Amino acid sequence: MLNAIKPSELLFKGKDFLQLSDFTQEEILYLLEEAQELKAMQKQGKPHPYLAGKVLGMIFEKSSTRTRVSFEVGMLQLGGHAIFLSSKDIQLGRGESISDTAKVLSRYVDGIMIRTFSHDSVEELAEHATIPVINGLTDLQHPTQVLADLLTILEHKGKLAGLKLCYIGDGYNNMAHSLMEGAVKVGMNISIASPQGYLPDEAITEKAIKVGKQTGSTVTVTNDPLEAIKNADVIVTDVWTSMGQEMETEKRLKDFQGYQVNQELCQYAKEDFIFLHCLPAHRGEEVTAEIIDGPHSVVFDEAENRLHAQKAILKLLLG
């Protein structure tokens, strides 16, 4: 257990969960401790209906496996209920404004989770909703996944502060951005290696560097995968072509040559490194089967921890 100090003045209830930069180090550590406790309760078969009678509306403009199942199962295990709302089936898909959708859903449900393309859409939804809004993924941020990643690293390494996390691949990517924000908040060092033209968002990078100076973390952005991976405790990658970028597939396959996570590159990391990938993965592209299916990989622990991390978010925001 982290033995995090419970934030007394920073009330979670009613807050939105849009990006990790919105939360203090104490709040993130407390979320992780809640996730650990909820996971332990589930493994022990102890009921934990903290959200009995609560309903989560889930808006999906992007397809999903882990996000949908983990949120739906999480609400069920917490004693509540989740409603799947495809953008094709609700009026949002026929031109109803985001603000009207937010106001209507606020009258029906206790919280909204949205998985969509534009981060601005999530910000607008949160602005007009009177209930908590959770960012299930946008093109810019993926905070629920990274909270699960931090939980997985903590389980396997026993700590977060002082570790080096290396991300290799598309830097202008929701995972790279949220990993930067999450890593520096908890005192981890992070290095990102991306080709020119695919570097992380400058504003997010600058903010992460500023936070890192306060928490003792370093942020390194480079075009050199070897430089980034040296002495890494944790290696992370993601697909080279995300949803909505399919027309760029051939170009990206060429641009990312030399950025594959493979055995040759991983030999420069620490011997006991762990490998993470948010999935789905394209074996033979961003990572070899030898790595993702090998002894260093914890990707399925990581996938499971989406459930426990999100239950912590749901409990604290909706409870």
Side-chain angles (χ1 to χ4, degrees), residues 39-62:
K39 184 173 183 177
M41 293 177 77
Q42 182 195 335
K43 299 299 183 184
Q44 295 164 10
K46 295 181 179 179
H48 42 285
Y50 295 110
L51 298 184
K54 301 282 186 176
V55 179
L56 177 71
M58 305 190 303
I59 300 174
F60 284 87
E61 291 190 310
K62 280 189 172 185

mmCIF file with all atom_site columns, all heavy atoms in Angstrom, residues 39-62:
data_model
loop_
_atom_site.group_PDB
_atom_site.id
_atom_site.type_symbol
_atom_site.label_atom_id
_atom_site.label_alt_id
_atom_site.label_comp_id
_atom_site.label_asym_id
_atom_site.label_entity_id
_atom_site.label_seq_id
_atom_site.pdbx_PDB_ins_code
_atom_site.Cartn_x
_atom_site.Cartn_y
_atom_site.Cartn_z
_atom_site.occupancy
_atom_site.B_iso_or_equiv
_atom_site.pdbx_formal_charge
_atom_site.auth_seq_id
_atom_site.auth_comp_id
_atom_site.auth_asym_id
_atom_site.auth_atom_id
_atom_site.pdbx_PDB_model_num
ATOM 1   N N   . LYS A 1 39 ? -9.213  -3.565  -5.613  1.00 0.00 ? 39 LYS A N   1
ATOM 2   C CA  . LYS A 1 39 ? -8.738  -4.803  -6.243  1.00 0.00 ? 39 LYS A CA  1
ATOM 3   C C   . LYS A 1 39 ? -8.632  -5.915  -5.212  1.00 0.00 ? 39 LYS A C   1
ATOM 4   O O   . LYS A 1 39 ? -9.043  -7.062  -5.473  1.00 0.00 ? 39 LYS A O   1
ATOM 5   C CB  . LYS A 1 39 ? -7.383  -4.564  -6.907  1.00 0.00 ? 39 LYS A CB  1
ATOM 6   C CG  . LYS A 1 39 ? -6.842  -5.769  -7.668  1.00 0.00 ? 39 LYS A CG  1
ATOM 7   C CD  . LYS A 1 39 ? -5.577  -5.408  -8.437  1.00 0.00 ? 39 LYS A CD  1
ATOM 8   C CE  . LYS A 1 39 ? -5.088  -6.598  -9.263  1.00 0.00 ? 39 LYS A CE  1
ATOM 9   N NZ  . LYS A 1 39 ? -3.894  -6.240  -10.088 1.00 0.00 ? 39 LYS A NZ  1
ATOM 10  N N   . ALA A 1 40 ? -8.113  -5.579  -4.036  1.00 0.00 ? 40 ALA A N   1
ATOM 11  C CA  . ALA A 1 40 ? -7.989  -6.580  -2.976  1.00 0.00 ? 40 ALA A CA  1
ATOM 12  C C   . ALA A 1 40 ? -9.364  -7.088  -2.548  1.00 0.00 ? 40 ALA A C   1
ATOM 13  O O   . ALA A 1 40 ? -9.549  -8.297  -2.326  1.00 0.00 ? 40 ALA A O   1
ATOM 14  C CB  . ALA A 1 40 ? -7.249  -5.989  -1.782  1.00 0.00 ? 40 ALA A CB  1
ATOM 15  N N   . MET A 1 41 ? -10.331 -6.196  -2.442  1.00 0.00 ? 41 MET A N   1
ATOM 16  C CA  . MET A 1 41 ? -11.683 -6.595  -2.053  1.00 0.00 ? 41 MET A CA  1
ATOM 17  C C   . MET A 1 41 ? -12.294 -7.535  -3.080  1.00 0.00 ? 41 MET A C   1
ATOM 18  O O   . MET A 1 41 ? -12.937 -8.526  -2.722  1.00 0.00 ? 41 MET A O   1
ATOM 19  C CB  . MET A 1 41 ? -12.560 -5.359  -1.869  1.00 0.00 ? 41 MET A CB  1
ATOM 20  C CG  . MET A 1 41 ? -12.166 -4.480  -0.697  1.00 0.00 ? 41 MET A CG  1
ATOM 21  S SD  . MET A 1 41 ? -13.175 -2.983  -0.544  1.00 0.00 ? 41 MET A SD  1
ATOM 22  C CE  . MET A 1 41 ? -14.659 -3.670  0.155   1.00 0.00 ? 41 MET A CE  1
ATOM 23  N N   . GLN A 1 42 ? -12.083 -7.233  -4.351  1.00 0.00 ? 42 GLN A N   1
ATOM 24  C CA  . GLN A 1 42 ? -12.631 -8.106  -5.389  1.00 0.00 ? 42 GLN A CA  1
ATOM 25  C C   . GLN A 1 42 ? -11.983 -9.486  -5.331  1.00 0.00 ? 42 GLN A C   1
ATOM 26  O O   . GLN A 1 42 ? -12.669 -10.505 -5.422  1.00 0.00 ? 42 GLN A O   1
ATOM 27  C CB  . GLN A 1 42 ? -12.424 -7.496  -6.776  1.00 0.00 ? 42 GLN A CB  1
ATOM 28  C CG  . GLN A 1 42 ? -13.027 -8.352  -7.888  1.00 0.00 ? 42 GLN A CG  1
ATOM 29  C CD  . GLN A 1 42 ? -12.533 -7.970  -9.259  1.00 0.00 ? 42 GLN A CD  1
ATOM 30  O OE1 . GLN A 1 42 ? -12.114 -6.842  -9.486  1.00 0.00 ? 42 GLN A OE1 1
ATOM 31  N NE2 . GLN A 1 42 ? -12.559 -8.900  -10.196 1.00 0.00 ? 42 GLN A NE2 1
ATOM 32  N N   . LYS A 1 43 ? -10.650 -9.520  -5.188  1.00 0.00 ? 43 LYS A N   1
ATOM 33  C CA  . LYS A 1 43 ? -9.947  -10.800 -5.157  1.00 0.00 ? 43 LYS A CA  1
ATOM 34  C C   . LYS A 1 43 ? -10.375 -11.644 -3.960  1.00 0.00 ? 43 LYS A C   1
ATOM 35  O O   . LYS A 1 43 ? -10.369 -12.879 -4.016  1.00 0.00 ? 43 LYS A O   1
ATOM 36  C CB  . LYS A 1 43 ? -8.434  -10.565 -5.112  1.00 0.00 ? 43 LYS A CB  1
ATOM 37  C CG  . LYS A 1 43 ? -7.865  -9.815  -6.316  1.00 0.00 ? 43 LYS A CG  1
ATOM 38  C CD  . LYS A 1 43 ? -8.090  -10.547 -7.617  1.00 0.00 ? 43 LYS A CD  1
ATOM 39  C CE  . LYS A 1 43 ? -7.437  -9.810  -8.774  1.00 0.00 ? 43 LYS A CE  1
ATOM 40  N NZ  . LYS A 1 43 ? -7.714  -10.455 -10.084 1.00 0.00 ? 43 LYS A NZ  1
ATOM 41  N N   . GLN A 1 44 ? -10.743 -10.964 -2.864  1.00 0.00 ? 44 GLN A N   1
ATOM 42  C CA  . GLN A 1 44 ? -11.184 -11.665 -1.652  1.00 0.00 ? 44 GLN A CA  1
ATOM 43  C C   . GLN A 1 44 ? -12.671 -11.988 -1.668  1.00 0.00 ? 44 GLN A C   1
ATOM 44  O O   . GLN A 1 44 ? -13.190 -12.603 -0.747  1.00 0.00 ? 44 GLN A O   1
ATOM 45  C CB  . GLN A 1 44 ? -10.859 -10.811 -0.424  1.00 0.00 ? 44 GLN A CB  1
ATOM 46  C CG  . GLN A 1 44 ? -9.369  -10.603 -0.196  1.00 0.00 ? 44 GLN A CG  1
ATOM 47  C CD  . GLN A 1 44 ? -9.076  -9.468  0.758   1.00 0.00 ? 44 GLN A CD  1
ATOM 48  O OE1 . GLN A 1 44 ? -9.972  -8.928  1.405   1.00 0.00 ? 44 GLN A OE1 1
ATOM 49  N NE2 . GLN A 1 44 ? -7.808  -9.078  0.854   1.00 0.00 ? 44 GLN A NE2 1
ATOM 50  N N   . GLY A 1 45 ? -13.358 -11.565 -2.717  1.00 0.00 ? 45 GLY A N   1
ATOM 51  C CA  . GLY A 1 45 ? -14.783 -11.836 -2.829  1.00 0.00 ? 45 GLY A CA  1
ATOM 52  C C   . GLY A 1 45 ? -15.651 -10.996 -1.911  1.00 0.00 ? 45 GLY A C   1
ATOM 53  O O   . GLY A 1 45 ? -16.781 -11.377 -1.595  1.00 0.00 ? 45 GLY A O   1
ATOM 54  N N   . LYS A 1 46 ? -15.133 -9.847  -1.481  1.00 0.00 ? 46 LYS A N   1
ATOM 55  C CA  . LYS A 1 46 ? -15.894 -8.977  -0.584  1.00 0.00 ? 46 LYS A CA  1
ATOM 56  C C   . LYS A 1 46 ? -16.745 -7.999  -1.395  1.00 0.00 ? 46 LYS A C   1
ATOM 57  O O   . LYS A 1 46 ? -16.220 -7.255  -2.224  1.00 0.00 ? 46 LYS A O   1
ATOM 58  C CB  . LYS A 1 46 ? -14.945 -8.189  0.327   1.00 0.00 ? 46 LYS A CB  1
ATOM 59  C CG  . LYS A 1 46 ? -14.155 -9.043  1.302   1.00 0.00 ? 46 LYS A CG  1
ATOM 60  C CD  . LYS A 1 46 ? -13.259 -8.161  2.169   1.00 0.00 ? 46 LYS A CD  1
ATOM 61  C CE  . LYS A 1 46 ? -12.475 -8.990  3.182   1.00 0.00 ? 46 LYS A CE  1
ATOM 62  N NZ  . LYS A 1 46 ? -11.580 -8.136  4.016   1.00 0.00 ? 46 LYS A NZ  1
ATOM 63  N N   . PRO A 1 47 ? -18.043 -7.980  -1.158  1.00 0.00 ? 47 PRO A N   1
ATOM 64  C CA  . PRO A 1 47 ? -18.894 -7.018  -1.872  1.00 0.00 ? 47 PRO A CA  1
ATOM 65  C C   . PRO A 1 47 ? -18.481 -5.583  -1.544  1.00 0.00 ? 47 PRO A C   1
ATOM 66  O O   . PRO A 1 47 ? -18.068 -5.285  -0.422  1.00 0.00 ? 47 PRO A O   1
ATOM 67  C CB  . PRO A 1 47 ? -20.300 -7.323  -1.326  1.00 0.00 ? 47 PRO A CB  1
ATOM 68  C CG  . PRO A 1 47 ? -20.205 -8.708  -0.773  1.00 0.00 ? 47 PRO A CG  1
ATOM 69  C CD  . PRO A 1 47 ? -18.815 -8.837  -0.243  1.00 0.00 ? 47 PRO A CD  1
ATOM 70  N N   . HIS A 1 48 ? -18.579 -4.702  -2.515  1.00 0.00 ? 48 HIS A N   1
ATOM 71  C CA  . HIS A 1 48 ? -18.235 -3.303  -2.294  1.00 0.00 ? 48 HIS A CA  1
ATOM 72  C C   . HIS A 1 48 ? -19.183 -2.405  -3.101  1.00 0.00 ? 48 HIS A C   1
ATOM 73  O O   . HIS A 1 48 ? -18.754 -1.714  -4.030  1.00 0.00 ? 48 HIS A O   1
ATOM 74  C CB  . HIS A 1 48 ? -16.764 -3.025  -2.643  1.00 0.00 ? 48 HIS A CB  1
ATOM 75  C CG  . HIS A 1 48 ? -16.278 -3.690  -3.900  1.00 0.00 ? 48 HIS A CG  1
ATOM 76  N ND1 . HIS A 1 48 ? -15.984 -5.027  -3.986  1.00 0.00 ? 48 HIS A ND1 1
ATOM 77  C CD2 . HIS A 1 48 ? -16.020 -3.193  -5.135  1.00 0.00 ? 48 HIS A CD2 1
ATOM 78  C CE1 . HIS A 1 48 ? -15.576 -5.324  -5.204  1.00 0.00 ? 48 HIS A CE1 1
ATOM 79  N NE2 . HIS A 1 48 ? -15.604 -4.222  -5.935  1.00 0.00 ? 48 HIS A NE2 1
ATOM 80  N N   . PRO A 1 49 ? -20.468 -2.397  -2.736  1.00 0.00 ? 49 PRO A N   1
ATOM 81  C CA  . PRO A 1 49 ? -21.487 -1.650  -3.492  1.00 0.00 ? 49 PRO A CA  1
ATOM 82  C C   . PRO A 1 49 ? -21.531 -0.163  -3.143  1.00 0.00 ? 49 PRO A C   1
ATOM 83  O O   . PRO A 1 49 ? -22.573 0.366   -2.739  1.00 0.00 ? 49 PRO A O   1
ATOM 84  C CB  . PRO A 1 49 ? -22.775 -2.364  -3.094  1.00 0.00 ? 49 PRO A CB  1
ATOM 85  C CG  . PRO A 1 49 ? -22.529 -2.797  -1.682  1.00 0.00 ? 49 PRO A CG  1
ATOM 86  C CD  . PRO A 1 49 ? -21.063 -3.165  -1.614  1.00 0.00 ? 49 PRO A CD  1
ATOM 87  N N   . TYR A 1 50 ? -20.397 0.520   -3.330  1.00 0.00 ? 50 TYR A N   1
ATOM 88  C CA  . TYR A 1 50 ? -20.320 1.930   -2.955  1.00 0.00 ? 50 TYR A CA  1
ATOM 89  C C   . TYR A 1 50 ? -21.203 2.818   -3.833  1.00 0.00 ? 50 TYR A C   1
ATOM 90  O O   . TYR A 1 50 ? -21.541 3.940   -3.438  1.00 0.00 ? 50 TYR A O   1
ATOM 91  C CB  . TYR A 1 50 ? -18.873 2.424   -3.056  1.00 0.00 ? 50 TYR A CB  1
ATOM 92  C CG  . TYR A 1 50 ? -17.935 1.764   -2.077  1.00 0.00 ? 50 TYR A CG  1
ATOM 93  C CD1 . TYR A 1 50 ? -16.959 0.870   -2.511  1.00 0.00 ? 50 TYR A CD1 1
ATOM 94  C CD2 . TYR A 1 50 ? -18.021 2.029   -0.713  1.00 0.00 ? 50 TYR A CD2 1
ATOM 95  C CE1 . TYR A 1 50 ? -16.093 0.257   -1.619  1.00 0.00 ? 50 TYR A CE1 1
ATOM 96  C CE2 . TYR A 1 50 ? -17.156 1.427   0.195   1.00 0.00 ? 50 TYR A CE2 1
ATOM 97  C CZ  . TYR A 1 50 ? -16.197 0.545   -0.268  1.00 0.00 ? 50 TYR A CZ  1
ATOM 98  O OH  . TYR A 1 50 ? -15.343 -0.061  0.623   1.00 0.00 ? 50 TYR A OH  1
ATOM 99  N N   . LEU A 1 51 ? -21.566 2.325   -5.026  1.00 0.00 ? 51 LEU A N   1
ATOM 100 C CA  . LEU A 1 51 ? -22.357 3.149   -5.945  1.00 0.00 ? 51 LEU A CA  1
ATOM 101 C C   . LEU A 1 51 ? -23.740 2.556   -6.195  1.00 0.00 ? 51 LEU A C   1
ATOM 102 O O   . LEU A 1 51 ? -24.305 2.690   -7.281  1.00 0.00 ? 51 LEU A O   1
ATOM 103 C CB  . LEU A 1 51 ? -21.604 3.322   -7.270  1.00 0.00 ? 51 LEU A CB  1
ATOM 104 C CG  . LEU A 1 51 ? -20.253 4.040   -7.192  1.00 0.00 ? 51 LEU A CG  1
ATOM 105 C CD1 . LEU A 1 51 ? -19.661 4.224   -8.584  1.00 0.00 ? 51 LEU A CD1 1
ATOM 106 C CD2 . LEU A 1 51 ? -20.373 5.389   -6.492  1.00 0.00 ? 51 LEU A CD2 1
ATOM 107 N N   . ALA A 1 52 ? -24.299 1.919   -5.183  1.00 0.00 ? 52 ALA A N   1
ATOM 108 C CA  . ALA A 1 52 ? -25.638 1.346   -5.314  1.00 0.00 ? 52 ALA A CA  1
ATOM 109 C C   . ALA A 1 52 ? -26.632 2.429   -5.728  1.00 0.00 ? 52 ALA A C   1
ATOM 110 O O   . ALA A 1 52 ? -26.687 3.500   -5.128  1.00 0.00 ? 52 ALA A O   1
ATOM 111 C CB  . ALA A 1 52 ? -26.076 0.719   -3.993  1.00 0.00 ? 52 ALA A CB  1
ATOM 112 N N   . GLY A 1 53 ? -27.387 2.143   -6.780  1.00 0.00 ? 53 GLY A N   1
ATOM 113 C CA  . GLY A 1 53 ? -28.381 3.089   -7.263  1.00 0.00 ? 53 GLY A CA  1
ATOM 114 C C   . GLY A 1 53 ? -27.842 4.143   -8.211  1.00 0.00 ? 53 GLY A C   1
ATOM 115 O O   . GLY A 1 53 ? -28.612 4.939   -8.752  1.00 0.00 ? 53 GLY A O   1
ATOM 116 N N   . LYS A 1 54 ? -26.534 4.169   -8.430  1.00 0.00 ? 54 LYS A N   1
ATOM 117 C CA  . LYS A 1 54 ? -25.926 5.170   -9.317  1.00 0.00 ? 54 LYS A CA  1
ATOM 118 C C   . LYS A 1 54 ? -25.890 4.644   -10.760 1.00 0.00 ? 54 LYS A C   1
ATOM 119 O O   . LYS A 1 54 ? -25.769 3.441   -11.002 1.00 0.00 ? 54 LYS A O   1
ATOM 120 C CB  . LYS A 1 54 ? -24.501 5.504   -8.877  1.00 0.00 ? 54 LYS A CB  1
ATOM 121 C CG  . LYS A 1 54 ? -24.396 6.047   -7.453  1.00 0.00 ? 54 LYS A CG  1
ATOM 122 C CD  . LYS A 1 54 ? -24.805 7.498   -7.388  1.00 0.00 ? 54 LYS A CD  1
ATOM 123 C CE  . LYS A 1 54 ? -24.541 8.061   -5.987  1.00 0.00 ? 54 LYS A CE  1
ATOM 124 N NZ  . LYS A 1 54 ? -24.848 9.504   -5.915  1.00 0.00 ? 54 LYS A NZ  1
ATOM 125 N N   . VAL A 1 55 ? -25.974 5.570   -11.715 1.00 0.00 ? 55 VAL A N   1
ATOM 126 C CA  . VAL A 1 55 ? -25.967 5.210   -13.136 1.00 0.00 ? 55 VAL A CA  1
ATOM 127 C C   . VAL A 1 55 ? -24.911 6.032   -13.867 1.00 0.00 ? 55 VAL A C   1
ATOM 128 O O   . VAL A 1 55 ? -24.833 7.249   -13.698 1.00 0.00 ? 55 VAL A O   1
ATOM 129 C CB  . VAL A 1 55 ? -27.345 5.450   -13.783 1.00 0.00 ? 55 VAL A CB  1
ATOM 130 C CG1 . VAL A 1 55 ? -27.308 5.093   -15.268 1.00 0.00 ? 55 VAL A CG1 1
ATOM 131 C CG2 . VAL A 1 55 ? -28.427 4.631   -13.069 1.00 0.00 ? 55 VAL A CG2 1
ATOM 132 N N   . LEU A 1 56 ? -24.109 5.349   -14.680 1.00 0.00 ? 56 LEU A N   1
ATOM 133 C CA  . LEU A 1 56 ? -23.091 5.991   -15.507 1.00 0.00 ? 56 LEU A CA  1
ATOM 134 C C   . LEU A 1 56 ? -23.526 5.936   -16.959 1.00 0.00 ? 56 LEU A C   1
ATOM 135 O O   . LEU A 1 56 ? -23.809 4.858   -17.494 1.00 0.00 ? 56 LEU A O   1
ATOM 136 C CB  . LEU A 1 56 ? -21.740 5.279   -15.352 1.00 0.00 ? 56 LEU A CB  1
ATOM 137 C CG  . LEU A 1 56 ? -20.592 5.807   -16.218 1.00 0.00 ? 56 LEU A CG  1
ATOM 138 C CD1 . LEU A 1 56 ? -20.125 7.182   -15.711 1.00 0.00 ? 56 LEU A CD1 1
ATOM 139 C CD2 . LEU A 1 56 ? -19.419 4.818   -16.232 1.00 0.00 ? 56 LEU A CD2 1
ATOM 140 N N   . GLY A 1 57 ? -23.607 7.090   -17.625 1.00 0.00 ? 57 GLY A N   1
ATOM 141 C CA  . GLY A 1 57 ? -23.853 7.118   -19.057 1.00 0.00 ? 57 GLY A CA  1
ATOM 142 C C   . GLY A 1 57 ? -22.529 7.069   -19.792 1.00 0.00 ? 57 GLY A C   1
ATOM 143 O O   . GLY A 1 57 ? -21.619 7.849   -19.492 1.00 0.00 ? 57 GLY A O   1
ATOM 144 N N   . MET A 1 58 ? -22.393 6.174   -20.766 1.00 0.00 ? 58 MET A N   1
ATOM 145 C CA  . MET A 1 58 ? -21.120 5.987   -21.479 1.00 0.00 ? 58 MET A CA  1
ATOM 146 C C   . MET A 1 58 ? -21.303 6.320   -22.959 1.00 0.00 ? 58 MET A C   1
ATOM 147 O O   . MET A 1 58 ? -21.971 5.578   -23.684 1.00 0.00 ? 58 MET A O   1
ATOM 148 C CB  . MET A 1 58 ? -20.627 4.551   -21.329 1.00 0.00 ? 58 MET A CB  1
ATOM 149 C CG  . MET A 1 58 ? -20.497 4.064   -19.896 1.00 0.00 ? 58 MET A CG  1
ATOM 150 S SD  . MET A 1 58 ? -19.635 2.468   -19.783 1.00 0.00 ? 58 MET A SD  1
ATOM 151 C CE  . MET A 1 58 ? -20.666 1.444   -20.855 1.00 0.00 ? 58 MET A CE  1
ATOM 152 N N   . ILE A 1 59 ? -20.730 7.436   -23.393 1.00 0.00 ? 59 ILE A N   1
ATOM 153 C CA  . ILE A 1 59 ? -20.828 7.868   -24.788 1.00 0.00 ? 59 ILE A CA  1
ATOM 154 C C   . ILE A 1 59 ? -19.602 7.381   -25.556 1.00 0.00 ? 59 ILE A C   1
ATOM 155 O O   . ILE A 1 59 ? -18.471 7.658   -25.167 1.00 0.00 ? 59 ILE A O   1
ATOM 156 C CB  . ILE A 1 59 ? -20.911 9.403   -24.887 1.00 0.00 ? 59 ILE A CB  1
ATOM 157 C CG1 . ILE A 1 59 ? -22.139 9.933   -24.141 1.00 0.00 ? 59 ILE A CG1 1
ATOM 158 C CG2 . ILE A 1 59 ? -20.955 9.838   -26.352 1.00 0.00 ? 59 ILE A CG2 1
ATOM 159 C CD1 . ILE A 1 59 ? -22.199 11.443  -24.072 1.00 0.00 ? 59 ILE A CD1 1
ATOM 160 N N   . PHE A 1 60 ? -19.845 6.665   -26.646 1.00 0.00 ? 60 PHE A N   1
ATOM 161 C CA  . PHE A 1 60 ? -18.749 6.137   -27.461 1.00 0.00 ? 60 PHE A CA  1
ATOM 162 C C   . PHE A 1 60 ? -18.846 6.654   -28.891 1.00 0.00 ? 60 PHE A C   1
ATOM 163 O O   . PHE A 1 60 ? -19.793 6.350   -29.605 1.00 0.00 ? 60 PHE A O   1
ATOM 164 C CB  . PHE A 1 60 ? -18.771 4.601   -27.477 1.00 0.00 ? 60 PHE A CB  1
ATOM 165 C CG  . PHE A 1 60 ? -18.268 3.983   -26.208 1.00 0.00 ? 60 PHE A CG  1
ATOM 166 C CD1 . PHE A 1 60 ? -19.124 3.752   -25.149 1.00 0.00 ? 60 PHE A CD1 1
ATOM 167 C CD2 . PHE A 1 60 ? -16.933 3.640   -26.070 1.00 0.00 ? 60 PHE A CD2 1
ATOM 168 C CE1 . PHE A 1 60 ? -18.664 3.186   -23.973 1.00 0.00 ? 60 PHE A CE1 1
ATOM 169 C CE2 . PHE A 1 60 ? -16.462 3.066   -24.899 1.00 0.00 ? 60 PHE A CE2 1
ATOM 170 C CZ  . PHE A 1 60 ? -17.328 2.840   -23.845 1.00 0.00 ? 60 PHE A CZ  1
ATOM 171 N N   . GLU A 1 61 ? -17.856 7.444   -29.297 1.00 0.00 ? 61 GLU A N   1
ATOM 172 C CA  . GLU A 1 61 ? -17.682 7.815   -30.697 1.00 0.00 ? 61 GLU A CA  1
ATOM 173 C C   . GLU A 1 61 ? -16.539 7.025   -31.318 1.00 0.00 ? 61 GLU A C   1
ATOM 174 O O   . GLU A 1 61 ? -16.357 7.058   -32.532 1.00 0.00 ? 61 GLU A O   1
ATOM 175 C CB  . GLU A 1 61 ? -17.419 9.321   -30.820 1.00 0.00 ? 61 GLU A CB  1
ATOM 176 C CG  . GLU A 1 61 ? -18.634 10.165  -30.473 1.00 0.00 ? 61 GLU A CG  1
ATOM 177 C CD  . GLU A 1 61 ? -18.457 11.623  -30.822 1.00 0.00 ? 61 GLU A CD  1
ATOM 178 O OE1 . GLU A 1 61 ? -17.425 12.212  -30.438 1.00 0.00 ? 61 GLU A OE1 1
ATOM 179 O OE2 . GLU A 1 61 ? -19.355 12.176  -31.477 1.00 0.00 ? 61 GLU A OE2 1
ATOM 180 N N   . LYS A 1 62 ? -15.755 6.343   -30.475 1.00 0.00 ? 62 LYS A N   1
ATOM 181 C CA  . LYS A 1 62 ? -14.701 5.441   -30.929 1.00 0.00 ? 62 LYS A CA  1
ATOM 182 C C   . LYS A 1 62 ? -14.999 4.040   -30.402 1.00 0.00 ? 62 LYS A C   1
ATOM 183 O O   . LYS A 1 62 ? -15.479 3.883   -29.276 1.00 0.00 ? 62 LYS A O   1
ATOM 184 C CB  . LYS A 1 62 ? -13.334 5.885   -30.402 1.00 0.00 ? 62 LYS A CB  1
ATOM 185 C CG  . LYS A 1 62 ? -12.680 7.013   -31.183 1.00 0.00 ? 62 LYS A CG  1
ATOM 186 C CD  . LYS A 1 62 ? -11.241 7.220   -30.706 1.00 0.00 ? 62 LYS A CD  1
ATOM 187 C CE  . LYS A 1 62 ? -10.500 8.200   -31.588 1.00 0.00 ? 62 LYS A CE  1
ATOM 188 N NZ  . LYS A 1 62 ? -9.073  8.317   -31.210 1.00 0.00 ? 62 LYS A NZ  1
#
